[in-house]
Amino acid sequence: MRGATSPDNAHPSPRPSPERERGPAPHLARPGEGARRALQRILLLGILLLLSLRAGAGTLDRAGVERFFPPPLVVGERDDALPVWPILKQEAGSYEVFAYAFESIDLAPIPGFAGTPPNLLVALAPDGSFREVKVLSHHEPVFLEGLGSEPLFAFVEQYAGLSARRAIRVGRANARASGAPPQGVVDGISMATASTRVINESILNAALAVARRRLGFGAAANLGLKVEARTDAFEPLPFADLLARGYAKRFVVTNGQAEAAFRGTGVEGRAEGPADVPLTDLVFAYLNVPTIGRNLLGEARFAALTRELGPGDHAVLVVSAGPLNPLGEDFVMGSIPDRIAIQQEGLVVNARDMAIERRGGGMAGLPEGPWTILRIAAQAGFDPSRHWSLSEKIVRERGQILVERVARDFAADYALPESLFVREKPEAGPSWTDSWTARGWELGAIAAALGLLVPVLSRQRGLVADQRRFGAFRLAFLAFTLLFIGWYAQAQLSIVTLVGLVRAALGGGGLNFLLYDPPSLLLWAFVLASLVAWGRGTFCGWLCPFGALQELAAWPARRLGLRQVAVPPALDRALRLVKYAVLAAILGAAALASPLADSLAEIEPFKTAITLFFVRSWPFVAYAAGLILLNLFVYKAFCRYLCPLGAALALGGRLRLLDWIPRRSECGSPCQLCKVRCRYGAITPSGRIDYPECFQCMECVTIIHDPGQCVPQVVARKRGRTIAPRPVAAE
């Protein structure tokens, strides 16, 4: 029934065979239409070809490991329980373990800047020190596009000789040459701060996993236990009671205690006050327990913190009330603090500042000095129900020309009642199931919204036919899409997912990464189903948060009479081809394993406007804001001309089964009302629907069902007759 739907029988019907389709003589194709269709077919075939390819990658086998550890070293048998290769060395007639070699991606697959985890070969000695670290693979744009990989190779070489028992942070470039402690700092790389931090966390978290199981230290007995704070454990308590119960801990080091620790080092006698006056005065607490976190942070901040923490992650608050700033004067948000560390059972736990909003105060009684919330990743193996400690490093200097730093560590113990936690042996199963359980209510809300949307759009003589009520429904649904699906659930679909699919297809990887974002996967499933049924418009017109943001921004401008620019038809047709070229460039770069794909994907403003709430560097913010401003004058210009995801969906929409938009034979000749009203330019002068450009706003459907708006019905009623619909040739 393609192009032959009568308004009196407006339900979608399957596409007919060419032998059965009849109608007036076909119209001549518009200029450029042939080129656009050819380009679309080529791109669609190219995408299907890319996704059909497979290239084996896998992890290192024995021969691969032996290339890194040649004779006289011997590579032993790979561990069945842990992906570790023992590296053996002959000593006094017998073989001793020289190191345990493993790939970081097997133990700590932390996504890098490009969304793909780096993979490093790590050799850990039996005493917990690093024998060697080598880069096996990475997709960090700053190294692939700009600096080259050599600085990264030199960066990981610094780990040789360092110990996994101690915290290791990434300092500034030449940090160790400037006097930083050689055991706790590796030199950073200018312009690659984010990438080197990911590399550092990958190395440390993977090494700690091996240390706990193979080196005899750390919480080996607790491996496999799932320890979570009880969500029902809430009791409103003042700050004094939190301290009294030990839920919040005060950690004080006086001038006298510091002097005693530095005695005999040549830096004693530096105290600036009486011996009993605090030099450092900290309050710290584990925040995941609601009785602690909700009381200290307040309802809103605790809820925000809970949303931001990943499954299995932990948060620790540290606030200073003393004269010594534990974060250091040059502290950078999002980094690992220099002077404070969390330790548990002989290991320093990798804890990073969460870089969250720092304005506003906490509960009454909480100090107002410098503070941080430290995130401990699930991979670190931290058990909050067991004893742990917070340590602070106090540093003094001596010498004027060759400055020497002398440090002393002070620690305070922390322990919470086991009744505040749920400890259980996790069932054998994939780790992504935790994400689905944690976000169950979000999935329910989105599923309910989708369940409401389908009958509204499919029953075209229902709500859609009532212009006033349907207009209110559309605005409300777009607000839900922006506020809940986009800003709250962070389920903005993106071309980045297709880039990941291409990389997985060509790299032989799995698609498990999709399972860790349940709301987005639910939307992808619905969008693919609606794509086959109705075409591109369901997502682009109803479920895209950035599209909703544009439409909501344009609504008051339209009410205020802001005049829009009419794009000339020839230019409009040419501009619509641009998004297909952008799509081809992005997927082509991904297929070639080029990091340029990630840079090109920034043409989408989704990350800036939706994921990061416009909290980003000014060029990205200016670009996203500029597109919203352009939308006020050229309606949804980005969606129509630039969006690579829209181009991919338009190509997939060629598989559409239904021609669901009703048309009359009078549409286009003589009536042009729907074409004039369509702000997307998805109705041709002939009256046909250009489905790849249709955003399913349903305005033309409302018009054709309204006897007061549909011109053929108005004319027929005045002449006292009814309209006999005739088929219209399909687009």
Side-chain angles (χ1 to χ4, degrees), residues 575-594:
L575 290 175
R576 290 184 183 189
L577 297 176
V578 174
K579 61 179 176 286
Y580 297 103
V582 173
L583 174 65
I586 293 174
L587 296 187
L592 295 173
S594 170

Side-chain angles (χ1 to χ4, degrees), residues 56 223 244 266 298 325 333 346 350 367 385 416 436 481 516 546 566 579-580 591 643 693 718:
L223 286 173
N325 181 359
M333 291 175 61
N350 197 30
S385 67
L416 292 174
W436 289 78
T481 296
Y516 287 88
F546 186 74
K579 61 179 176 286
Y580 297 103
C643 182
E693 300 300 329
K718 288 182 178 179

Side-chain angles (χ1 to χ4, degrees), residues 115-178:
T116 304
N119 191 19
L120 304 111
L121 179 64
V122 181
L124 197 64
D127 64 356
S129 63
F130 292 99
R131 295 284 192 190
E132 192 173 30
V133 179
K134 296 288 186 182
V135 177
L136 296 178
S137 65
H138 73 94
H139 293 88
E140 298 306 293
V142 67
F143 297 114
L144 294 176
E145 294 178 1
L147 301 176
S149 293
E150 287 73 16
L152 179 57
F153 299 156
F155 171 78
V156 300
E157 289 176 357
Q158 300 177 87
Y159 287 84
L162 300 183
S163 175
R165 292 175 179 265
R166 301 186 60 177
I168 300 174
R169 69 177 182 87
V170 178
R172 297 179 179 179
N174 300 316
R176 294 205 285 185
S178 302

Side-chain angles (χ1 to χ4, degrees), residues 3 36 41 49 137 142 159 218 544:
R36 188 185 73 171
R41 291 191 183 100
L49 177 62
S137 65
V142 67
Y159 287 84
C544 176

Side-chain angles (χ1 to χ4, degrees), residues 596-675:
L596 185 61
D598 303 293
S599 300
L600 292 174
E602 288 290 352
I603 196 170
E604 289 182 336
F606 305 160
K607 184 188 298 183
T608 301
I610 305 300
T611 305
L612 299 177
F613 304 94
F614 291 97
V615 181
R616 209 176 180 192
S617 59
W618 74 263
F620 294 101
V621 174
Y623 172 66
L627 289 176
I628 297 173
L629 182 63
L630 175 63
N631 159 72
L632 303 182
F633 300 94
V634 181
Y635 193 65
K636 284 196 170 180
F638 170 78
C639 305
R640 292 159 60 189
Y641 303 137
L642 290 176
C643 182
L645 179 60
L649 295 178
L651 291 173
R654 293 288 176 181
L655 304 175
R656 185 187 74 260
L657 298 177
L658 303 174
D659 291 331
W660 51 273
I661 297 180
R663 297 281 82 198
R664 296 182 183 277
S665 58
E666 293 84 1
C667 293
S669 179
C671 182
Q672 293 281 318
L673 178 61
C674 291
K675 175 186 178 300

